[in-house]
């Protein structure tokens, strides 16, 4: 790290910083500039954190050089992480981008869910998604159908040969949820729920970690780091848009650039969710394509058998006929992209 001393820092203050660095076995070099003294320190930041050093009198700023997300970083692991499922489906690396589709919430109408699952299978998708525990802004909105929803999701997926994804909101549901789902989702509102991150870190189930509503890319990767640090290497990141000032036409701002940025700095797979990213069904296809062009390892899309009567997120859900058209074009698009890369 680099420690920049204040313009008027005393020699004693600078010496004290140098001494404490040396006591903690840092290799120290420093430069007395005309205005600021700059200390260059190489060592283990877990023994002496940048935050602690910043609190020393006379210190103006402490800059880190290596990214703090060690396990998620390409410095640690150069090759892409590939997550493989029991049926041979793979996410990440040079594998075909996966498709994760289904309603925002699993509802009481099992038949409707089956129609979505059948369409998903027919169009070559790999995963059926659907919320059972919904993080809703208002307590008056539909909160999810609970364990019954997971039973429906599993049944529809088993009957069609798909894998399942559903969101976990509380660590106490972990064992129960693991019986029904192949991938646990951590939603945008829980990206920094550290106890939940630790809990899913302690099991080996793959996790889709969504980007928080206001997470920076570094915070997003540090959230993934919590899962990796607790022992679960199977993390799939999901860019789902971030909050900004303009919500007149789109629900969120789809940060397409985060995908190649994350690919550059991390080995973890990343998928794009244009349903939540835009809030608009007509934007799902163009944004999915944009994500695929910049390297996304998959697309998550909300699909409902009757969006007008959906209990949540109908506006950003594709009705089945439209989904089939969009998916057919995305399949061709993926083929063309693959040929372009070869
Ligand atoms: C969802 O996937 O239905 C969901 C609630 O997503 P997010 O956490 O990204 O808002
Ligand atoms: Mn939703």
């Amino acid at each position: 790290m680099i420690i920049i001393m204040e313009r008027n820092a005393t020699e004693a203050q600078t010496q004290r910083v140098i001494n404490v660095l040396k006591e903690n076995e840092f290799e120290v070099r420093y430069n007395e500039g005309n205005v600021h003294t700059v200390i260059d320190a190489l060592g283990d930041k877990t023994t002496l954190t940048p935050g602690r050093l910043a609190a020393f009198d006379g210190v103006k700023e402490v800059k880190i050089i290596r990214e703090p997300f060690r396990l998620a970083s390409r410095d640690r692991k150069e090759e892409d992480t590939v997550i493989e499922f029991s049926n041979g489906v793979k996410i990440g690396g040079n594998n075909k981008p996966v498709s994760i589709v289904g309603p925002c919430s699993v509802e009481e109408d099992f038949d409707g869910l089956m129609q979505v699952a059948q369409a998903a299978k027919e169009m070559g998708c790999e995963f059926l998604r659907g919320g059972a525990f919904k993080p809703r802004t208002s307590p008056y909105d539909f909160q999810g159908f609970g364990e019954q929803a997971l039973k429906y999701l599993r049944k529809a997926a088993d009957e069609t040969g798909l894998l399942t994804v559903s969101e976990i909101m509380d660590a106490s549901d972990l064992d129960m949820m693991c019986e029904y789902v192949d991938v646990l989702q951590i939603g945008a509102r829980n990206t920094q729920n550290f106890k939940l991150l630790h809990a899913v870190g302690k099991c080996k189930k793959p996790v889709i970690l969504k980007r928080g509503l206001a997470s920076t890319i570094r915070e997003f990767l540090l959230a993934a780091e919590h899962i990796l640090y607790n022992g679960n290497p199977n993390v799939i990141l999901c860019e789902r848009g971030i909050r900004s000032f303009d919500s007149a036409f789109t629900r969120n701002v789809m940060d397409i650039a985060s995908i190649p940025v994350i690919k550059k700095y991390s080995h973890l797979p990343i998928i794009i969710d244009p349903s939540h990213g835009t809030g608009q069904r007509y934007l799902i296809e163009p944004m999915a394509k944009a994500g695929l062009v910049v390297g996304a390892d998959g697309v998550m899309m909300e699909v409902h058998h009757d969006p007008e009567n959906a209990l949540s997120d109908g506006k950003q859900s594709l009705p089945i006929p439209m989904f089939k058209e969009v998916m057919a074009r995305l399949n061709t698009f993926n083929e063309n992209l693959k040929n372009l890369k070869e």
Side-chain angles (χ1 to χ4, degrees), residues 57 61 70 72 85 94 102 124 130 142 184 200 221 231 245 247 263 266-267 278 298 307 316 330:
D57 281 337
E61 205 179 334
R70 300 171 180 211
F85 294 84
N94 290 324
F142 180 56
L184 294 159
V200 299
L221 285 165
F245 53 87
S247 56
K263 287 262 161 209
S266 175
H267 52 82
T278 67
Q316 63 188 38
L330 288 181

Side-chain angles (χ1 to χ4, degrees), residues 67 75 80 92-93 116 143 146-147 160 178 183 198 299 301 341:
E67 287 297 340
D75 294 346
D80 291 331
V116 174
Q143 305 292 306
E147 189 171 352
T160 45
C178 285
V183 182
H198 296 173
V299 176
M301 296 182 283
K341 283 187 202 151

Side-chain angles (χ1 to χ4, degrees), residues 56-263:
F56 278 58
D57 281 337
V59 171
K60 176 170 184 275
E61 205 179 334
V62 181
K63 288 186 183 288
I64 49 167
I65 301 168
R66 272 184 71 181
E67 287 297 340
F69 44 88
R70 300 171 180 211
L71 302 171
S73 165
R74 282 234 189 247
D75 294 346
R76 174 62 71 99
K77 182 170 176 273
E78 181 69 40
E79 71 280 9
D80 291 331
T81 286
V82 175
I83 297 167
E84 187 167 356
F85 294 84
S86 54
N87 63 354
V89 168
K90 292 180 185 156
I91 304 185
N94 290 324
N95 291 292
K96 170 183 164 274
V98 295
S99 303
I100 302 166
V101 305
C104 179
S105 306
V106 174
E107 300 171 10
E108 269 186 283
D109 180 0
F110 178 72
D111 225 48
L113 181 66
M114 260 320 275
Q115 289 172 38
V116 174
Q118 274 155 355
K121 186 65 187 176
E122 187 191 325
M123 299 314 296
C125 302
E126 292 83 0
F127 294 85
L128 182 66
R129 62 143 288 158
F133 301 97
K134 297 303 299 178
R136 304 306 298 277
T137 304
S138 163
Y140 304 108
D141 287 337
F142 180 56
Q143 305 292 306
F145 198 25
E147 189 171 352
Q148 185 57 42
L150 296 173
K151 291 191 170 144
Y152 276 6
L153 190 70
R154 186 74 263 166
K155 187 163 150 57
D158 284 347
E159 286 185 18
T160 45
L162 295 165
L163 296 158
T164 56
V165 179
S166 198
E167 176 166 352
I168 180 162
M169 284 198 359
D170 194 311
S172 65
D173 291 329
L174 188 61
D175 291 342
M176 180 274 290
M177 285 198 69
C178 285
E179 284 180 32
Y180 303 102
V181 304
D182 298 298
V183 182
L184 294 159
Q185 176 174 313
I186 303 251
R189 288 154 193 82
N190 271 317
T191 311
Q192 289 190 316
N193 179 341
F194 299 111
K195 280 202 166 164
L196 186 57
L197 298 177
H198 296 173
V200 299
K202 291 195 176 92
C203 76
K204 290 283 176 288
K205 239 343 143 187
V207 177
I208 289 180
L209 175 67
K210 294 231 185 166
R211 180 168 179 184
L213 305 175
S215 287
T216 62
I217 293 174
R218 190 172 281 135
E219 284 165 345
F220 186 21
L221 285 165
L222 277 169
E225 188 78 8
H226 275 272
I227 302 175
L228 301 175
Y229 181 73
N230 279 278
N232 188 349
N234 303 313
V235 178
I236 302 144
L237 302 166
C238 178
E239 174 55 66
R240 48 79 72 208
I242 44 175
R243 275 264 170 96
S244 188
F245 53 87
D246 188 354
S247 56
F249 300 95
T250 55
R251 182 177 176 182
N252 288 299
V253 172
M254 232 355 336
D255 184 5
I256 295 288
S258 77
I259 295 168
V261 169
I262 285 172
K263 287 262 161 209

